[in-house]
Amino acid sequence: YTYTIKGKHIYNHLIFFICPITEAIMVDAVRLCSSTTCERSAIEAWFDDGNRADPETKEVVEETGLT
């Protein structure tokens, strides 16, 4: 099974390496308290822009610390 992101087919098992914000392969991945994994620079910019929702689930993230 494949997903299509920006016109490219991504195999199901590789989707975990794709950042939900940039839709690109993550190089410096970090995990939110909600267990969503994002590219560090993308999620930092996301929070700096005032977003407080998980970019994947849209649920409010209480703790914006990254691991």
Side-chain angles (χ1 to χ4, degrees):
Y1 185 77
T2 63
Y3 293 91
T4 301
I5 297 177
K6 292 187 178 181
K8 296 182 180 177
H9 296 290
I10 307 294
Y11 289 100
N12 188 37
H13 62 281
L14 297 177
I15 198 70
F16 300 108
F17 297 100
I18 305 296
C19 174
I21 299 171
T22 64
E23 296 184 341
I25 295 173
M26 294 180 279
V27 176
D28 185 14
V30 293
R31 180 168 286 181
L32 303 177
C33 64
S34 60
S35 296
T36 296
T37 304
C38 299
E39 179 66 30
R40 181 182 300 275
S41 60
I43 195 63
E44 287 174 343
W46 179 267
F47 289 144
D48 287 347
D49 286 345
N51 295 301
R52 290 297 174 256
D54 180 306
E56 192 168 59
T57 67
K58 308 304 184 223
E59 297 292 325
V60 174
V61 176
E62 298 296 330
E63 174 59 48
T64 59
L66 308 173
T67 58

